[in-house]
Amino acid sequence: MEPHPLDEVGLPHLWFAHQLVLTLSGQRPVHALLGHALPAAYDRLAELAPQAPLRPLLGTGRRGPVPTVSECGLCRPRRGVIEAFARITTGERLRALAFRLELGADSRWRCAALDIGPAPALPGPAS
């Protein structure tokens, strides 16, 4: 498998953020990241993906705006490791996504861990 162009310019965190958004919004199947994630991260992704926590829904059967990566930042705690965050916007809704990338012996970045912030509370009936 060839490296992604964003890997070549030093932006693997941005590529992964977009791929995670596509998967967690139900736009791409989880197996699309097979080979791009280490086993524990892939298991977490497989657990989250059916819930599609970033799915753009307005109500029963109505689609909302498509989620996008509005910001993506990183820190490099050591060589071969990127800890990244992404702010995901869906219309007026904002969500957080955090993930860790590790550079393998084959010079490919793989997602080693991921977490998504808690689901926003749904508005309840007025009291």
Side-chain angles (χ1 to χ4, degrees), residues 6-81:
L6 288 176
D7 287 354
E8 295 170 4
V9 295
L11 301 173
H13 64 292
L14 191 55
W15 183 82
F16 272 93
H18 287 287
Q19 300 310 304
L20 292 169
V21 167
L22 290 171
T23 301
L24 295 174
S25 64
Q27 297 176 71
R28 179 166 291 160
V30 70
H31 68 265
L33 287 175
L34 191 61
H36 295 285
L38 297 176
Y42 187 81
D43 290 348
R44 178 72 174 133
L45 194 55
E47 174 187 316
L48 288 170
Q51 302 164 31
L54 298 177
R55 177 175 284 133
L57 292 179
L58 293 173
T60 309
R62 294 180 41 218
R63 283 208 164 284
V66 174
T68 59
V69 176
S70 63
E71 184 178 355
C72 189
L74 74 136
C75 89
R76 294 180 185 261
R78 68 174 191 265
R79 185 173 172 85
V81 174

